[in-house]
Amino acid sequence: MGRKKAKINRTKKLIFRCSEAEKNKIKELSLESGLDISKFIRGKAFPKEPPAITAVEYLELYKAIVRYKNSFFKRQ
């Protein structure tokens, strides 16, 4: 089995100012991406990590793979 990832102790806060509209947009985008606001903002600040995939996107990809698999085996 693979190594377990060490848990990062995130105890520091970063406070910044934004407008109400910006706050609402950040909240909306974080919900769409399936991340909480902190993870979303860290992802934007440090984009080296691959973007998270939402459950809906995952399900759509899974269904597409199953369709391709089924069509592949039907033709043989």
Side-chain angles (χ1 to χ4, degrees):
M1 292 201 193
R3 288 184 179 180
K4 285 187 178 180
K5 250 187 171 177
K7 186 172 182 177
I8 298 172
N9 191 7
R10 293 189 169 102
T11 59
K12 304 298 177 193
K13 283 187 177 183
L14 179 63
I15 300 172
F16 67 97
R17 296 183 187 279
C18 63
S19 69
E20 187 71 27
E22 290 170 330
K23 179 184 176 187
N24 291 337
K25 186 65 175 180
I26 290 169
K27 194 179 228 182
E28 177 186 328
L29 292 171
S30 70
L31 287 172
E32 286 175 9
S33 68
L35 301 171
D36 61 35
I37 293 173
S38 294
K39 286 181 183 178
F40 177 77
I41 291 173
R42 277 196 306 273
K44 293 297 180 180
F46 308 110
K48 291 184 180 180
E49 293 183 36
I53 186 168
T54 65
V56 173
E57 291 170 317
Y58 180 83
L59 187 58
E60 290 172 0
L61 288 171
Y62 177 77
K63 288 178 180 178
I65 290 169
V66 169
R67 279 194 308 270
Y68 290 127
K69 178 202 66 110
N70 290 341
S71 66
F72 176 79
F73 285 111
K74 286 180 184 176
R75 294 178 185 210
Q76 288 185 348

